[in-house]
């Protein structure tokens, strides 16, 4: 999800290619780890605070959490979210990315952009993989498919 958001920013800034939309599933977009959710899951869940910190260090090295980080690597750092393709932002309520993903959708809306935000109650990171038979997973998959069909203008 974070890579997709970074690509959308880069495509906008370079004037193309045109993207129909951005499907951001539980995107990891903020290397600062300053939200409540980013600190709430220390030692807990399928993607812990520690895993998140290790992931950012793996990508950014010593630059993680500093002002030297590019918004293409950590899209929450982008100062301007205008002109982006429509976004589908999905996140679980019980995972470190919850707050940063909600904030990202809010910031897209603040620029007049289009975002569809879903925070799945009780869901952890990767819930659709870890709990494929869960009713929330069925709802999430149906919602994603609906958005994708609409964004690609494929009628059923």
């Amino acid at each position: 999800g974070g890579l997709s958001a970074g690509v959308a920013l880069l495509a906008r800034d370079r004037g193309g290619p045109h993207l129909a939309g951005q499907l951001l599933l539980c995107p990891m977009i903020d290397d600062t780890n300053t939200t409540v959710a980013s600190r709430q899951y220390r030692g807990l869940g399928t993607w812990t605070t520690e895993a998140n910190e290790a992931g950012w260090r793996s990508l950014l090295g010593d630059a993680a959490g500093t002002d030297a980080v590019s918004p293409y690597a950590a899209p929450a750092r982008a100062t301007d979210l205008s002109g982006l393709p429509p976004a589908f932002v999905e996140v679980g309520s019980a995972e470190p990315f919850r707050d940063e993903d909600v904030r990202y959708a809010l910031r897209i809306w603040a620029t007049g952009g289009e975002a569809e935000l879903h925070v799945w109650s009780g869901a952890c990171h990767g819930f659709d993989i870890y709990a494929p038979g869960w009713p929330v997973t069925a709802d999430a998959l149906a919602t994603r498919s609906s958005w994708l069909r609409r964004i690609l203008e494929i009628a059923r």
Side-chain angles (χ1 to χ4, degrees):
L3 178 60
S4 296
V7 167
L9 288 165
L10 190 61
R12 178 204 61 191
D13 293 348
R14 290 188 175 175
H18 171 75
L19 304 177
Q22 39 182 336
L23 183 61
L24 308 178
L25 305 179
C26 307
M28 180 177 166
I29 57 174
D30 185 357
D31 68 299
T32 64
N33 292 304
T34 56
T35 68
V36 169
S38 70
R39 297 177 181 182
Q40 195 170 19
Y41 295 97
R42 189 159 295 282
L44 296 171
T46 56
W47 187 260
T48 64
T49 298
E50 295 86 354
N52 196 37
E53 291 166 346
W56 283 115
R57 279 192 311 275
S58 295
L59 177 64
L60 302 172
D62 291 338
T66 72
D67 291 339
V69 174
S70 166
Y72 303 125
R77 290 180 170 261
T79 57
D80 178 13
L81 297 181
S82 66
L84 292 173
F88 180 95
V89 182
E90 172 182 289
V91 68
S93 68
E95 69 165 292
F97 305 139
R98 179 194 65 222
D99 300 342
E100 65 197 61
D101 293 351
V102 169
R103 184 178 300 150
Y104 198 72
L106 289 168
R107 291 181 57 217
I108 290 171
W109 289 325
T111 68
E114 183 181 331
E116 184 169 322
L117 172 65
H118 295 275
V119 180
W120 297 105
S121 184
C124 63
H125 187 74
F127 69 93
D128 55 335
I129 296 166
Y130 294 112
W134 189 29
V136 172
T137 297
D139 291 346
L141 293 174
T143 302
R144 285 180 211 163
S145 294
S146 172
W147 179 84
L148 194 55
R149 279 192 311 274
R150 285 181 278 129
I151 218 65
L152 296 175
E153 299 178 351
I154 298 173
R156 270 197 163 205

